[in-house]
Amino acid sequence: QVQLVESGGGLVQAGGSLRLSCAASGRAFSRYVMGWFRQAPGKDREFVSAITWSDANTYYADSVKGRFTISRDNAKNTVYLQMNSLKPEDTAVYYCGAGSNGAVTTITFYDYWGQGTQVTVSS
């Protein structure tokens, strides 16, 4: 079992920055790929970014490339999502997930999810 707790969401003006954190605990979580997804009202949950614990390979959705950066701190068992140049269309609940089988950009890859953290970007 893996437990995930997100934090760092909030309200920010367009062009601003936020850093989300996802603290992981439980058995063998280091073998999982960690991902960030987001879900806006009335829309499906969509892939944002992912990172492997072992070699820090990173993956990004085209919509956030160049603006968002994913990283991890092995000592703190925490994954971060640094979000810069935020846009109103980035407004969503952001979820952290942990998974191990399949394609990292798909929801079905992830076995565990956090409770989500709200990000609101005002224009």
Side-chain angles (χ1 to χ4, degrees), residues 31-120:
R31 69 183 179 91
Y32 290 96
V33 174
M34 304 298 294
W36 286 98
F37 279 68
R38 65 188 181 187
Q39 188 166 19
K43 295 188 177 181
D44 293 333
R45 191 172 297 192
E46 66 174 4
F47 172 76
V48 175
S49 185
I51 189 168
T52 59
W53 279 111
S54 56
D55 51 11
N57 281 340
T58 58
Y59 308 82
Y60 294 96
D62 288 342
S63 59
V64 306
K65 279 181 182 176
R67 301 189 298 123
F68 291 11
T69 303
I70 192 170
S71 61
R72 86 270 190 267
D73 184 330
N74 290 350
K76 296 182 178 180
N77 300 333
T78 300
V79 174
Y80 302 99
L81 185 69
Q82 177 66 44
M83 305 186 296
N84 298 329
S85 302
L86 283 162
K87 304 175 182 180
E89 51 263 44
D90 294 317
T91 295
V93 177
Y94 283 69
Y95 296 91
C96 175
S100 59
N101 292 305
V104 300
T105 60
T106 62
I107 291 175
T108 54
F109 176 88
Y110 296 87
D111 302 308
Y112 304 99
W113 294 96
Q115 81 288 352
T117 185
Q118 177 71 47
V119 171
T120 303

Coordinates of all heavy atoms in Angstrom, one line a residue, residues 31-120:
R31 N 9.7 2.0 -6.1 CA 9.7 1.3 -7.4 C 8.6 1.9 -8.4 O 8.6 1.4 -9.5 CB 9.5 -0.2 -7.2 CG 8.1 -0.6 -6.7 CD 8.1 -2.1 -6.5 NE 6.8 -2.5 -6.0 CZ 5.8 -2.9 -6.8 NH1 6.0 -2.9 -8.1 NH2 4.6 -3.3 -6.3
Y32 N 7.8 2.8 -7.9 CA 6.7 3.3 -8.7 C 7.2 4.6 -9.5 O 8.1 5.3 -9.1 CB 5.6 3.7 -7.8 CG 4.8 2.5 -7.2 CD1 5.1 2.1 -5.9 CD2 3.9 1.9 -7.9 CE1 4.5 1.0 -5.4 CE2 3.2 0.8 -7.4 CZ 3.5 0.4 -6.1 OH 2.8 -0.7 -5.6
V33 N 6.5 4.8 -10.6 CA 6.6 6.1 -11.3 C 5.6 7.0 -10.6 O 4.5 6.6 -10.3 CB 6.3 5.9 -12.8 CG1 6.2 7.3 -13.4 CG2 7.3 5.0 -13.4
M34 N 6.0 8.2 -10.4 CA 5.1 9.2 -9.8 C 4.6 10.2 -10.8 O 5.4 10.7 -11.6 CB 5.8 10.0 -8.7 CG 6.4 9.1 -7.6 SD 5.2 8.2 -6.7 CE 4.3 9.5 -5.9
G35 N 3.3 10.4 -10.8 CA 2.7 11.3 -11.8 C 1.8 12.4 -11.2 O 1.3 12.2 -10.1
W36 N 1.7 13.5 -12.0 CA 0.7 14.5 -11.7 C -0.3 14.6 -12.8 O 0.0 14.6 -14.0 CB 1.4 15.9 -11.6 CG 2.2 16.1 -10.3 CD1 3.6 15.9 -10.2 CD2 1.7 16.5 -9.1 NE1 3.9 16.2 -8.9 CE2 2.8 16.6 -8.2 CE3 0.5 16.8 -8.5 CZ2 2.7 16.9 -6.9 CZ3 0.4 17.1 -7.2 CH2 1.5 17.2 -6.4
F37 N -1.6 14.6 -12.3 CA -2.7 14.8 -13.3 C -3.5 16.0 -12.7 O -3.3 16.4 -11.6 CB -3.6 13.5 -13.3 CG -3.1 12.4 -14.1 CD1 -2.0 11.7 -13.8 CD2 -3.8 12.0 -15.3 CE1 -1.5 10.7 -14.6 CE2 -3.4 11.0 -16.1 CZ -2.2 10.3 -15.7
R38 N -4.4 16.4 -13.6 CA -5.3 17.5 -13.1 C -6.7 17.3 -13.7 O -6.8 16.7 -14.8 CB -4.7 18.9 -13.5 CG -4.7 19.1 -15.0 CD -3.9 20.5 -15.3 NE -3.9 20.7 -16.7 CZ -3.2 21.8 -17.2 NH1 -2.5 22.6 -16.4 NH2 -3.1 22.0 -18.5
Q39 N -7.7 17.9 -13.0 CA -9.0 17.7 -13.5 C -9.8 19.0 -13.3 O -9.9 19.5 -12.1 CB -9.8 16.6 -12.8 CG -11.1 16.3 -13.3 CD -11.7 15.0 -12.8 OE1 -11.2 14.4 -11.8 NE2 -12.6 14.4 -13.5
A40 N -10.2 19.7 -14.3 CA -10.9 20.9 -14.3 C -12.4 20.5 -14.2 O -12.8 19.4 -14.7 CB -10.6 21.7 -15.5
P41 N -13.3 21.4 -13.7 CA -14.7 21.2 -13.7 C -15.3 20.8 -15.0 O -15.0 21.5 -16.0 CB -15.3 22.5 -13.2 CG -14.2 23.1 -12.4 CD -12.9 22.8 -13.2
G42 N -16.0 19.7 -15.0 CA -16.7 19.2 -16.3 C -15.7 18.6 -17.3 O -16.2 18.3 -18.4
K43 N -14.5 18.4 -16.9 CA -13.5 17.8 -17.8 C -12.9 16.5 -17.3 O -13.0 16.2 -16.1 CB -12.4 18.8 -18.2 CG -12.9 20.0 -18.9 CD -11.7 20.8 -19.4 CE -12.2 22.0 -20.2 NZ -11.0 22.8 -20.7
D44 N -12.4 15.7 -18.1 CA -11.7 14.5 -17.7 C -10.4 14.8 -17.0 O -9.7 15.8 -17.3 CB -11.4 13.5 -18.9 CG -12.7 13.0 -19.5 OD1 -13.7 12.9 -18.8 OD2 -12.7 12.7 -20.7
R45 N -9.9 13.9 -16.2 CA -8.6 14.0 -15.6 C -7.6 13.8 -16.7 O -7.6 12.9 -17.5 CB -8.4 12.9 -14.5 CG -7.2 13.1 -13.6 CD -7.2 12.2 -12.4 NE -8.3 12.4 -11.5 CZ -8.4 11.9 -10.3 NH1 -7.4 11.1 -9.8 NH2 -9.5 12.1 -9.5
E46 N -6.6 14.7 -16.7 CA -5.6 14.7 -17.7 C -4.2 14.6 -17.2 O -3.9 15.2 -16.1 CB -5.7 15.9 -18.7 CG -5.5 17.2 -18.1 CD -5.5 18.4 -19.1 OE1 -5.8 18.1 -20.3 OE2 -5.2 19.5 -18.7
F47 N -3.3 14.0 -17.9 CA -1.9 13.9 -17.6 C -1.2 15.2 -17.6 O -1.4 16.0 -18.5 CB -1.2 12.9 -18.5 CG 0.3 12.9 -18.3 CD1 0.9 12.2 -17.3 CD2 1.1 13.5 -19.2 CE1 2.2 12.1 -17.1 CE2 2.5 13.4 -19.1 CZ 3.0 12.8 -18.0
V48 N -0.3 15.5 -16.6 CA 0.5 16.7 -16.6 C 1.9 16.4 -16.7 O 2.6 16.9 -17.6 CB 0.2 17.5 -15.3 CG1 1.1 18.7 -15.2 CG2 -1.3 17.9 -15.2
S49 N 2.4 15.5 -15.8 CA 3.8 15.2 -15.7 C 4.1 14.0 -14.9 O 3.2 13.5 -14.2 CB 4.6 16.4 -15.1 OG 6.0 16.2 -15.1
A50 N 5.3 13.3 -15.1 CA 5.6 12.1 -14.4 C 7.1 12.0 -14.2 O 7.9 12.6 -15.0 CB 5.1 10.9 -15.0
I51 N 7.6 11.3 -13.2 CA 9.0 11.1 -13.0 C 9.2 9.7 -12.4 O 8.4 9.2 -11.6 CB 9.5 12.2 -12.0 CG1 11.0 12.2 -11.9 CG2 8.9 12.1 -10.7 CD1 11.6 13.4 -11.3
T52 N 10.3 9.1 -12.7 CA 10.7 7.8 -12.1 C 11.6 8.1 -10.9 O 12.4 9.0 -10.9 CB 11.5 7.0 -13.1 OG1 12.7 7.7 -13.6 CG2 10.6 6.7 -14.3
W53 N 11.4 7.3 -9.9 CA 12.2 7.5 -8.7 C 13.6 7.1 -8.9 O 14.5 7.8 -8.4 CB 11.7 6.6 -7.5 CG 10.5 7.1 -6.8 CD1 9.3 6.6 -6.8 CD2 10.5 8.2 -5.9 NE1 8.4 7.4 -6.0 CE2 9.2 8.3 -5.4 CE3 11.4 9.1 -5.4 CZ2 8.8 9.3 -4.5 CZ3 11.1 10.1 -4.5 CH2 9.7 10.2 -4.1
S54 N 13.9 6.1 -9.7 CA 15.2 5.5 -9.8 C 16.2 6.4 -10.6 O 17.3 6.6 -10.1 CB 15.1 4.1 -10.5 OG 14.5 4.2 -11.7
D55 N 15.7 6.8 -11.8 CA 16.7 7.5 -12.6 C 16.2 8.9 -13.0 O 16.8 9.6 -13.8 CB 17.0 6.7 -13.9 CG 15.8 6.3 -14.6 OD1 14.7 6.7 -14.3 OD2 15.9 5.4 -15.5
A56 N 15.1 9.3 -12.4 CA 14.6 10.7 -12.6 C 14.2 11.0 -14.1 O 14.4 12.2 -14.5 CB 15.5 11.7 -12.1
N57 N 13.9 10.0 -14.9 CA 13.3 10.3 -16.2 C 12.0 11.1 -16.0 O 11.2 10.8 -15.1 CB 13.0 9.0 -16.9 CG 14.3 8.4 -17.5 OD1 15.3 9.0 -17.7 ND2 14.2 7.1 -17.8
T58 N 11.9 12.1 -16.9 CA 10.7 13.0 -16.7 C 9.8 13.0 -18.0 O 10.3 12.7 -19.1 CB 11.1 14.4 -16.4 OG1 12.0 14.9 -17.4 CG2 11.8 14.5 -15.0
Y59 N 8.6 13.2 -17.8 CA 7.6 13.2 -18.9 C 6.7 14.5 -18.7 O 6.3 14.8 -17.5 CB 6.7 12.0 -18.9 CG 7.5 10.7 -18.8 CD1 8.0 10.2 -17.6 CD2 7.8 10.0 -20.0 CE1 8.8 9.0 -17.6 CE2 8.5 8.8 -20.0 CZ 9.0 8.3 -18.8 OH 9.7 7.2 -18.8
Y60 N 6.3 15.1 -19.7 CA 5.4 16.3 -19.6 C 4.4 16.3 -20.7 O 4.6 15.9 -21.9 CB 6.3 17.6 -19.8 CG 7.2 17.8 -18.7 CD1 8.6 17.4 -18.8 CD2 6.8 18.4 -17.5 CE1 9.5 17.6 -17.8 CE2 7.7 18.6 -16.5 CZ 9.1 18.2 -16.6 OH 10.0 18.5 -15.6
A61 N 3.2 16.8 -20.4 CA 2.2 17.1 -21.4 C 2.7 18.3 -22.2 O 3.3 19.2 -21.7 CB 0.9 17.4 -20.7
D62 N 2.3 18.3 -23.5 CA 2.7 19.5 -24.3 C 2.2 20.8 -23.8 O 2.9 21.8 -23.9 CB 2.1 19.3 -25.7 CG 2.8 18.2 -26.5 OD1 3.9 17.8 -26.1 OD2 2.3 17.7 -27.5
S63 N 1.1 20.8 -23.1 CA 0.5 22.0 -22.6 C 1.3 22.7 -21.5 O 1.1 23.9 -21.2 CB -0.9 21.8 -22.2 OG -1.0 20.8 -21.1
V64 N 2.2 21.9 -20.9 CA 2.9 22.5 -19.7 C 4.4 22.5 -19.9 O 5.2 23.0 -19.1 CB 2.6 21.7 -18.4 CG1 1.1 21.7 -18.2 CG2 3.2 20.3 -18.4
K65 N 4.9 21.9 -21.1 CA 6.3 21.9 -21.3 C 6.9 23.3 -21.3 O 6.3 24.2 -21.9 CB 6.6 21.2 -22.7 CG 6.6 19.7 -22.6 CD 6.9 19.2 -24.0 CE 6.9 17.6 -24.0 NZ 7.0 17.1 -25.3
G66 N 8.0 23.5 -20.7 CA 8.7 24.8 -20.6 C 8.1 25.7 -19.5 O 8.8 26.7 -19.2
R67 N 7.0 25.3 -18.9 CA 6.5 26.1 -17.8 C 6.5 25.3 -16.4 O 6.7 25.9 -15.4 CB 5.0 26.4 -18.1 CG 4.9 27.3 -19.3 CD 3.4 27.8 -19.5 NE 2.4 26.8 -19.6 CZ 1.4 26.6 -18.7 NH1 1.2 27.4 -17.7 NH2 0.5 25.6 -18.9
F68 N 6.3 24.0 -16.5 CA 6.2 23.1 -15.3 C 7.5 22.3 -15.2 O 8.0 21.8 -16.3 CB 5.0 22.2 -15.3 CG 3.7 22.9 -15.2 CD1 3.6 24.3 -15.2 CD2 2.6 22.1 -15.0 CE1 2.3 24.9 -15.1 CE2 1.3 22.7 -14.8 CZ 1.2 24.1 -14.9
T69 N 8.0 22.0 -14.0 CA 9.1 21.2 -13.8 C 8.8 20.2 -12.7 O 8.4 20.6 -11.6 CB 10.4 22.0 -13.4 OG1 10.6 22.9 -14.5 CG2 11.6 21.0 -13.3
I70 N 9.0 18.9 -13.0 CA 8.8 17.9 -11.9 C 10.1 17.5 -11.4 O 11.1 17.4 -12.1 CB 8.0 16.7 -12.5 CG1 7.5 15.7 -11.4 CG2 8.8 15.9 -13.6 CD1 6.6 14.7 -11.9
S71 N 10.2 17.2 -10.1 CA 11.4 16.7 -9.5 C 11.1 15.9 -8.3 O 9.9 15.8 -7.9 CB 12.3 17.9 -9.0 OG 11.6 18.7 -8.1
R72 N 12.1 15.2 -7.7 CA 11.8 14.4 -6.5 C 13.0 14.5 -5.6 O 14.1 14.7 -6.0 CB 11.5 12.9 -6.9 CG 12.8 12.0 -7.0 CD 13.3 12.0 -8.4 NE 14.3 10.9 -8.6 CZ 15.6 11.1 -8.5 NH1 16.0 12.3 -8.1 NH2 16.4 10.2 -8.7
D73 N 12.7 14.4 -4.3 CA 13.7 14.4 -3.2 C 13.6 13.0 -2.6 O 12.7 12.8 -1.8 CB 13.4 15.5 -2.3 CG 14.4 15.7 -1.2 OD1 15.1 14.6 -0.8 OD2 14.6 16.8 -0.7
N74 N 14.5 12.2 -2.9 CA 14.5 10.8 -2.3 C 14.6 10.8 -0.8 O 13.9 10.0 -0.2 CB 15.6 10.0 -2.9 CG 15.4 9.7 -4.4 OD1 14.3 10.0 -4.9 ND2 16.4 9.2 -5.0
A75 N 15.3 11.7 -0.2 CA 15.5 11.7 1.2 C 14.2 12.1 1.9 O 13.9 11.6 3.0 CB 16.6 12.7 1.6
K76 N 13.4 12.9 1.3 CA 12.1 13.3 1.9 C 10.9 12.5 1.3 O 9.8 12.8 1.7 CB 11.9 14.8 1.6 CG 12.9 15.7 2.3 CD 12.6 17.1 2.1 CE 13.6 18.0 2.8 NZ 13.3 19.5 2.6
N77 N 11.2 11.6 0.4 CA 10.1 10.8 -0.2 C 9.0 11.7 -0.8 O 7.8 11.5 -0.6 CB 9.5 9.8 0.8 CG 10.5 8.9 1.4 OD1 11.5 8.5 0.7 ND2 10.3 8.4 2.6
T78 N 9.4 12.8 -1.4 CA 8.5 13.8 -1.9 C 8.8 14.1 -3.4 O 9.9 14.2 -3.8 CB 8.6 15.0 -1.1 OG1 8.3 14.7 0.3 CG2 7.6 16.1 -1.6
V79 N 7.7 14.2 -4.1 CA 7.8 14.7 -5.5 C 7.2 16.1 -5.6 O 6.2 16.4 -4.9 CB 7.0 13.7 -6.4 CG1 6.9 14.3 -7.9 CG2 7.6 12.3 -6.4
Y80 N 7.8 16.9 -6.4 CA 7.4 18.3 -6.5 C 6.9 18.6 -8.0 O 7.4 18.0 -8.9 CB 8.5 19.3 -6.1 CG 9.0 19.1 -4.8 CD1 10.2 18.3 -4.6 CD2 8.4 19.6 -3.7 CE1 10.7 18.1 -3.3 CE2 8.9 19.4 -2.4 CZ 10.0 18.7 -2.2 OH 10.5 18.5 -0.9
L81 N 6.1 19.6 -8.1 CA 5.7 20.1 -9.4 C 5.8 21.6 -9.3 O 4.9 22.3 -8.7 CB 4.3 19.7 -9.8 CG 3.9 20.1 -11.2 CD1 4.7 19.3 -12.3 CD2 2.4 19.9 -11.5
Q82 N 6.9 22.2 -9.9 CA 7.0 23.6 -9.9 C 6.3 24.1 -11.1 O 6.6 23.7 -12.3 CB 8.5 24.0 -10.0 CG 8.8 25.5 -10.1 CD 8.4 26.2 -8.9 OE1 8.7 25.8 -7.8 NE2 7.8 27.4 -9.1
M83 N 5.4 25.0 -10.9 CA 4.5 25.6 -12.0 C 4.8 27.1 -12.1 O 4.5 27.8 -11.2 CB 3.0 25.3 -11.6 CG 2.7 23.8 -11.4 SD 1.0 23.5 -11.2 CE 0.6 24.4 -9.7
N84 N 5.3 27.4 -13.2 CA 5.6 28.8 -13.5 C 4.7 29.3 -14.7 O 4.1 28.5 -15.4 CB 7.1 29.0 -13.9 CG 8.0 28.6 -12.8 OD1 7.7 28.8 -11.6 ND2 9.2 28.1 -13.1
S85 N 4.7 30.6 -14.8 CA 3.9 31.2 -15.9 C 2.5 30.7 -16.0 O 2.0 30.3 -17.1 CB 4.6 31.0 -17.3 OG 5.9 31.6 -17.2
L86 N 1.8 30.6 -14.9 CA 0.5 29.9 -14.8 C -0.5 30.7 -15.6 O -0.5 32.0 -15.7 CB 0.1 29.8 -13.4 CG 0.8 28.7 -12.6 CD1 0.6 28.9 -11.1 CD2 0.2 27.3 -13.0
K87 N -1.4 30.0 -16.2 CA -2.5 30.5 -17.0 C -3.8 30.1 -16.4 O -3.9 29.1 -15.7 CB -2.4 29.9 -18.4 CG -1.1 30.1 -19.1 CD -1.0 29.4 -20.5 CE 0.3 29.5 -21.1 NZ 0.3 28.8 -22.4
P88 N -4.9 30.9 -16.7 CA -6.2 30.5 -16.2 C -6.6 29.1 -16.6 O -7.3 28.4 -15.8 CB -7.1 31.6 -16.8 CG -6.2 32.8 -17.0 CD -4.9 32.2 -17.4
E89 N -6.2 28.7 -17.7 CA -6.5 27.3 -18.1 C -5.8 26.2 -17.3 O -6.1 25.0 -17.5 CB -6.3 27.1 -19.6 CG -4.9 27.5 -20.1 CD -4.9 28.9 -20.7 OE1 -5.5 29.8 -20.1 OE2 -4.3 29.1 -21.7
D90 N -4.9 26.6 -16.5 CA -4.2 25.6 -15.6 C -5.1 25.4 -14.3 O -4.8 24.5 -13.5 CB -2.9 26.1 -15.1 CG -1.9 26.2 -16.3 OD1 -1.8 25.3 -17.1 OD2 -1.1 27.2 -16.4
T91 N -6.2 26.1 -14.2 CA -7.0 26.0 -13.0 C -7.6 24.6 -13.0 O -8.2 24.1 -14.0 CB -8.2 27.0 -13.0 OG1 -7.6 28.3 -12.9 CG2 -9.2 26.8 -11.9
A92 N -7.4 23.9 -11.9 CA -7.9 22.5 -11.8 C -7.6 21.9 -10.4 O -6.8 22.6 -9.7 CB -7.3 21.6 -12.8
V93 N -8.1 20.8 -10.1 CA -7.6 20.0 -8.9 C -6.5 19.2 -9.4 O -6.6 18.4 -10.4 CB -8.7 19.1 -8.3 CG1 -8.2 18.3 -7.2 CG2 -9.9 20.0 -7.8
Y94 N -5.4 19.2 -8.8 CA -4.2 18.5 -9.2 C -4.0 17.3 -8.3 O -4.0 17.4 -7.0 CB -2.9 19.4 -9.1 CG -2.8 20.3 -10.3 CD1 -3.7 21.4 -10.4 CD2 -1.9 20.2 -11.2 CE1 -3.7 22.3 -11.5 CE2 -1.8 21.0 -12.3 CZ -2.7 22.1 -12.4 OH -2.6 22.9 -13.5
Y95 N -3.8 16.1 -8.9 CA -3.7 14.9 -8.2 C -2.3 14.2 -8.4 O -1.8 14.3 -9.5 CB -4.7 13.9 -8.7 CG -6.2 14.3 -8.4 CD1 -6.9 15.0 -9.3 CD2 -6.8 13.9 -7.2 CE1 -8.2 15.4 -9.1 CE2 -8.1 14.3 -7.0 CZ -8.8 15.0 -7.9 OH -10.1 15.4 -7.7
C96 N -1.8 13.6 -7.4 CA -0.6 12.9 -7.5 C -0.9 11.4 -7.5 O -1.8 11.0 -6.8 CB 0.3 13.2 -6.2 SG 1.8 12.2 -6.1
G97 N -0.2 10.7 -8.4 CA -0.5 9.2 -8.5 C 0.8 8.4 -8.5 O 1.9 9.0 -8.8
A98 N 0.7 7.2 -8.1 CA 1.9 6.2 -8.2 C 1.5 5.0 -8.9 O 0.4 4.4 -8.7 CB 2.3 5.9 -6.8
G99 N 2.3 4.6 -9.9 CA 1.9 3.5 -10.7 C 3.2 2.8 -11.2 O 4.3 3.2 -11.1
S100 N 2.9 1.6 -11.9 CA 4.1 0.8 -12.4 C 3.9 0.1 -13.7 O 4.9 -0.5 -14.2 CB 4.5 -0.2 -11.3 OG 3.4 -1.0 -11.0
N101 N 2.7 0.0 -14.2 CA 2.5 -0.8 -15.4 C 1.8 -0.1 -16.5 O 0.7 0.5 -16.3 CB 1.7 -2.1 -15.0 CG 2.4 -3.0 -14.2 OD1 3.5 -3.5 -14.5 ND2 1.9 -3.3 -13.0
G102 N 2.4 -0.1 -17.7 CA 1.7 0.5 -18.8 C 2.3 1.8 -19.2 O 3.5 2.0 -19.1
A103 N 1.5 2.7 -19.7 CA 2.0 4.0 -20.2 C 1.8 5.1 -19.1 O 0.7 5.2 -18.6 CB 1.2 4.4 -21.5
V104 N 2.8 5.8 -18.8 CA 2.8 6.8 -17.7 C 1.8 7.9 -17.9 O 1.4 8.6 -17.0 CB 4.2 7.3 -17.4 CG1 5.1 6.2 -17.0 CG2 4.7 8.2 -18.5
T105 N 1.4 8.2 -19.2 CA 0.5 9.3 -19.4 C -1.0 8.9 -19.3 O -1.9 9.7 -19.4 CB 0.7 9.8 -20.8 OG1 0.4 8.8 -21.8 CG2 2.1 10.3 -21.0
T106 N -1.3 7.6 -19.0 CA -2.7 7.2 -18.9 C -3.1 7.0 -17.4 O -2.3 6.6 -16.6 CB -2.8 5.8 -19.6 OG1 -2.0 4.8 -19.0 CG2 -2.5 6.0 -21.1
I107 N -4.3 7.2 -17.1 CA -4.8 7.1 -15.8 C -4.7 5.7 -15.3 O -4.4 5.4 -14.1 CB -6.3 7.6 -15.7 CG1 -6.4 9.1 -15.9 CG2 -7.0 7.2 -14.4 CD1 -7.8 9.6 -16.0
T108 N -4.9 4.7 -16.1 CA -4.9 3.3 -15.7 C -3.6 2.8 -15.3 O -3.4 1.8 -14.7 CB -5.4 2.4 -16.9 OG1 -4.7 2.7 -18.1 CG2 -6.9 2.7 -17.2
F109 N -2.5 3.6 -15.6 CA -1.2 3.2 -15.2 C -1.0 3.3 -13.6 O -0.2 2.6 -13.0 CB -0.2 4.1 -15.8 CG 1.3 4.0 -15.4 CD1 2.1 3.0 -16.0 CD2 1.8 4.7 -14.4 CE1 3.4 2.9 -15.7 CE2 3.1 4.6 -14.0 CZ 3.9 3.6 -14.6
Y110 N -1.8 4.2 -13.0 CA -1.6 4.5 -11.6 C -2.5 3.7 -10.7 O -3.7 3.6 -10.9 CB -1.8 6.0 -11.4 CG -0.8 6.8 -12.2 CD1 -1.0 7.1 -13.6 CD2 0.4 7.2 -11.7 CE1 -0.1 7.8 -14.3 CE2 1.3 7.9 -12.4 CZ 1.1 8.2 -13.7 OH 2.1 8.8 -14.4
D111 N -1.9 3.2 -9.7 CA -2.6 2.3 -8.7 C -3.0 3.1 -7.5 O -4.0 2.7 -6.8 CB -1.6 1.2 -8.3 CG -1.1 0.3 -9.4 OD1 -2.0 -0.1 -10.2 OD2 0.1 0.2 -9.5
Y112 N -2.3 4.2 -7.2 CA -2.7 4.9 -6.0 C -2.8 6.4 -6.3 O -2.0 6.9 -7.2 CB -1.5 4.7 -4.9 CG -1.3 3.3 -4.6 CD1 -0.3 2.6 -5.2 CD2 -2.1 2.6 -3.7 CE1 0.0 1.2 -4.9 CE2 -1.9 1.3 -3.4 CZ -0.9 0.6 -4.0 OH -0.7 -0.7 -3.7
W113 N -3.7 7.1 -5.6 CA -3.9 8.5 -5.8 C -4.0 9.2 -4.5 O -4.4 8.7 -3.5 CB -5.2 8.7 -6.6 CG -5.2 8.2 -8.0 CD1 -5.7 7.0 -8.4 CD2 -4.7 8.9 -9.1 NE1 -5.5 6.9 -9.8 CE2 -5.0 8.0 -10.2 CE3 -4.2 10.1 -9.3 CZ2 -4.6 8.4 -11.5 CZ3 -3.8 10.5 -10.6 CH2 -4.0 9.6 -11.7
G114 N -3.6 10.5 -4.5 CA -3.8 11.4 -3.4 C -5.2 12.0 -3.5 O -5.9 11.7 -4.4
Q115 N -5.5 12.8 -2.5 CA -6.8 13.4 -2.4 C -7.0 14.7 -3.3 O -8.1 15.1 -3.5 CB -7.1 13.8 -0.9 CG -6.5 15.1 -0.5 CD -5.0 15.1 -0.3 OE1 -4.3 14.1 -0.4 NE2 -4.4 16.3 -0.1
G116 N -5.9 15.2 -3.8 CA -5.9 16.3 -4.7 C -5.7 17.7 -4.0 O -6.0 17.8 -2.8
T117 N -5.3 18.6 -4.7 CA -5.1 20.0 -4.2 C -5.5 21.0 -5.3 O -5.2 20.8 -6.5 CB -3.6 20.3 -3.8 OG1 -3.5 21.5 -3.2 CG2 -2.7 20.2 -4.9
Q118 N -6.3 22.0 -4.9 CA -6.9 22.9 -5.8 C -5.9 24.0 -6.2 O -5.3 24.6 -5.3 CB -8.1 23.6 -5.2 CG -8.8 24.6 -6.0 CD -9.5 24.1 -7.3 OE1 -10.3 23.1 -7.1 NE2 -9.3 24.7 -8.4
V119 N -5.8 24.2 -7.5 CA -5.0 25.3 -8.1 C -6.0 26.2 -8.8 O -6.7 25.7 -9.7 CB -3.9 24.8 -9.0 CG1 -3.3 26.0 -9.7 CG2 -2.9 24.0 -8.2
T120 N -6.0 27.5 -8.5 CA -6.9 28.4 -9.2 C -6.0 29.6 -9.7 O -5.3 30.2 -8.9 CB -8.0 29.0 -8.3 OG1 -8.8 27.9 -7.8 CG2 -8.9 29.9 -9.0

